Amino acid sequence: MEAPLISFVRSVRLNQVIDTKTPPETEKAGLLDKYFHLTVRGSTLGREIRGGLVTFFAMAYILILNPIILSGTDSTGAYLGGGDEPNLAAISAGTALVAGIMTILMGAVANFPIGLAAGLGLNSMVAFTIVQLPGMTWADGMGIIVLEGIVIVLLVVTGLREAIFRAVPMYLRTAISVGIGMFITLVGLVNAGMVRTGGGTPLTFGVEGSVSTLPMAIFVIGLFVTAILMVRKVKGAILIGIISSTVLAVIVEAVGKLGVSGEDNPGGWNLSVPSISGSPIQLPSFATLGEFSITGPFQKLGVIAVVVLTFSVLLADFFDTMGTMVAVATEGDLLDEDGNPEGTSRILLVDSVGAIAGGMGGVSSNTAFVESSTGVADGGRTGLTSIVTGVAFFLATFLSPIVALVPNEAAAPALVAVGFLMMQQVPDINWNKLTTGIPAFLTIVMMPFGYSMTVGIGVGFIAHVVLQAATGNAKKVHPLLWLVAILFVVYFLMGPIQSALA
């Protein structure tokens, strides 16, 4: 039996050989066409550029959110990137730099239209859990991320990560894609202020049931502009929607001076103010780069605690990418005859390296963003889309004032539009068969209600295994799914486990 590493390398080479075959009519195509297979995938250079820009604008909020999430102090009272106050500029620049590198790598190596950046759930885990443990610093927290990335890379190289992915039934993959559509729709509605924490209810619509602020009105206008353009089949509908909403937002802010939303300013913008002031170019600071320590966590927490923390981060990172990959591939019709995304092994490898790069860059694990589906919905089909997105991230290190012009209210309509597109897969699930319908339902609803793709996937996996076993079909469940279901049980019990080890 050949070694797993040799088998992996051969499979990658075989995939490359298969992927580079082009029909006779494209033999004389340009270099870009030959390398990225534009004609084969029914795309053009213009569509790839447009799709890449749409993906970037849909993801650009991470350049604002990541610095905010990582802006607190660690258990020693220190800030990430050094200094006596939060170093937001350095965190934003580092976030953009690592995202640019990894997204370009995804396009060049895997030829797949997915953008990578700091994962929201993962950075929250680092900021609010890991670095708050006694003695833990930001460098130690990023060291945990690097360790997690190394483990995931090993799982990819040995073929285990792809084997787990291929073991997942098709109906669960479809449910994951639909659930992600629901999840990003909720994210968009929350970002736009249309869904808020309720007074006496868990959630409420708008402000006391009304669209009572100008930013909310701009979201509504942007949503209908996007929907009308989609109905009329206008190319670039999503990007046009983002740009038109942003222009309107800039005008409204220039006249009304709304500012940032808060308790004393409920009518302001959510997070980013679309205001033009000062120079649009700023020299970046990369103070977070290299702020990680692999040995520190072991010295301060011990081996067992480090293993538990690494495992919890790994599970959160492991399956989010799987769901994103399926959602993007389905949206772009990039699935093979077995329902797997083209070049799965290379996609997973680049994504796994993103965790290491994010930790070493001091900006948390980089992972595939489901918002990439917005660019695919707008025409992106190849890795050239990712390269355009990556270049835009590079430029964002210098042009952060321009990136900040796009408020959440202007980007949110794109997320809602893509959520609708993903919901169209619902008929592909056999709802009359309860052993598939129930796990699919739980997968879909737990993503938005649990506000986590990982939670939805985990609940769906556990439900699938339990119901198959309860109906006498335990032997039909792939052994890897049994393993993953057990690991998810451990993941959901991580709180009590950590408390017992404390």
Side-chain angles (χ1 to χ4, degrees):
M1 180 181 295
E2 62 182 5
L5 178 58
I6 296 176
S7 176
F8 170 79
V9 172
R10 287 181 176 176
S11 68
V12 170
R13 288 177 177 174
L14 180 59
N15 284 338
Q16 291 174 334
V17 170
I18 293 174
D19 285 350
T20 53
K21 289 181 178 179
T22 57
E25 61 269 19
T26 63
E27 288 296 328
K28 296 182 180 180
L31 292 177
L32 286 178
D33 196 342
K34 289 183 178 180
Y35 188 85
F36 293 106
H37 318 143
L38 300 179
T39 302
V40 173
R41 296 189 182 181
S43 186
T44 64
L45 178 60
R47 290 179 183 176
E48 297 298 302
I49 294 175
R50 188 176 69 227
L53 291 176
V54 168
T55 296
F56 169 74
F57 282 113
M59 294 176 60
Y61 68 87
I62 195 63
L63 301 179
I64 302 169
L65 280 182
N66 201 41
I68 290 176
I69 292 173
L70 302 180
S71 63
T73 60
D74 57 28
S75 67
T76 69
Y79 290 103
L80 177 61
D84 298 327
E85 59 184 19
N87 199 342
L88 298 179
I91 300 174
S92 180
T95 300
L97 177 65
V98 177
I101 293 173
M102 293 312 307
T103 302
I104 288 176
L105 193 62
M106 177 65 76
V109 174
N111 193 23
F112 201 74
I114 279 187
L116 284 80
L120 279 179
L122 299 170
N123 58 11
S124 299
M125 192 177 299
V126 173
F128 306 133
T129 301
I130 297 177
V131 303
Q132 301 306 321
L133 295 173
M136 290 288 282
T137 65
W138 281 108
D140 298 329
M142 296 304 168
I144 293 288
I145 295 298
V146 173
L147 288 171
E148 173 256 339
I150 292 173
V151 173
I152 290 189
V153 168
L154 292 176
L155 291 177
V156 173
V157 170
T158 57
L160 183 58
R161 190 177 187 186
E162 184 174 355
I164 293 174
F165 169 75
R166 293 182 181 275
V168 179
M170 181 59 70
Y171 87 90
L172 269 183
R173 298 189 203 176
T174 302
I176 289 170
S177 182
V178 174
I180 289 175
M182 294 282 287
F183 176 76
I184 66 173
T185 297
L186 180 58
V187 169
L189 293 173
V190 170
N191 288 350
M194 300 298 291
V195 173
R196 302 172 183 240
T197 302
T201 60
L203 298 175
T204 188
F205 172 77
V207 178
E208 298 182 352
S210 301
V211 180
S212 58
T213 69
L214 288 174
M216 293 170 62
I218 286 176
F219 162 77
V220 173
I221 293 172
L223 180 60
F224 277 105
V225 167
T226 302
I228 291 170
L229 293 174
M230 291 173 63
V231 168
R232 297 185 66 86
K233 301 186 183 302
V234 175
K235 295 181 179 179
I238 295 176
L239 179 58
I240 294 173
I242 294 174
I243 294 175
S244 59
S245 298
T246 300
V247 171
L248 181 58
V250 170
I251 295 173
V252 168
E253 175 60 23
V255 175
K257 305 295 182 184
L258 303 182
V260 179
S261 176
E263 291 184 4
D264 57 345
N265 185 30
W269 303 96
N270 182 9
L271 194 62
S272 177
V273 178
S275 175
I276 300 176
S277 62
S279 173
I281 301 176
Q282 292 181 350
L283 292 176
S285 168
F286 299 114
T288 66
L289 300 188
E291 190 169 348
F292 72 99
S293 172
I294 294 180
T295 59
F298 290 99
Q299 295 170 350
K300 296 166 184 175
L301 300 178
V303 175
I304 295 179
V306 169
V307 169
V308 171
L309 285 174
T310 303
F311 173 74
S312 61
V313 176
L314 184 148
L315 275 186
D317 200 3
F318 193 101
F319 288 101
D320 275 4
T321 297
M322 187 187 76
T324 298
M325 186 171 61
V326 172
V328 172
T330 302
E331 181 63 40
D333 194 22
L334 300 175
L335 298 171
D336 61 21
E337 61 275 8
D338 297 321
N340 301 309
E342 299 177 12
T344 296
S345 59
R346 282 170 282 153
I347 297 170
L348 294 177
L349 180 60
V350 174
D351 177 81
S352 301
V353 173
I356 300 176
M360 296 178 68
V363 293
S364 186
S365 176
N366 271 228
T367 187
F369 262 52
V370 69
E371 285 83 356
S372 305
S373 53
T374 59
V376 173
D378 218 42
R381 291 294 182 272
T382 76
L384 189 55
T385 293
S386 297
I387 290 179
V388 171
T389 303
V391 171
F393 271 118
F394 279 148
L395 293 176
T397 63
F398 297 93
L399 304 174
S400 55
I402 293 179
V403 173
L405 280 179
V406 183
N408 278 339
E409 291 82 357
L415 301 181
V416 177
V418 172
F420 158 72
L421 294 175
M422 291 183 172
M423 280 293 294
Q424 292 178 311
Q425 302 172 55
V426 168
D428 295 337
I429 299 173
N430 185 357
W431 296 102
N432 294 322
K433 186 178 180 181
L434 297 186
T435 52
T436 62
I438 292 176
F441 171 75
L442 292 175
T443 300
I444 293 170
V445 299
M446 286 308 297
M447 284 194 192
F449 295 157
Y451 214 72
S452 168
M453 286 187 285
T454 300
V455 167
I457 295 172
V459 171
F461 277 22
I462 294 172
H464 170 75
V465 170
V466 170
L467 293 183
Q468 290 297 322
T471 53
N473 295 315
K475 293 183 179 180
K476 295 182 179 180
V477 178
H478 196 288
L480 285 175
L481 288 187
W482 278 102
L483 174 62
V484 171
I486 293 172
L487 291 177
F488 265 119
V489 170
V490 175
Y491 176 74
F492 289 133
L493 296 175
M494 193 59 67
I497 293 175
Q498 289 177 340
S499 298
L501 294 175

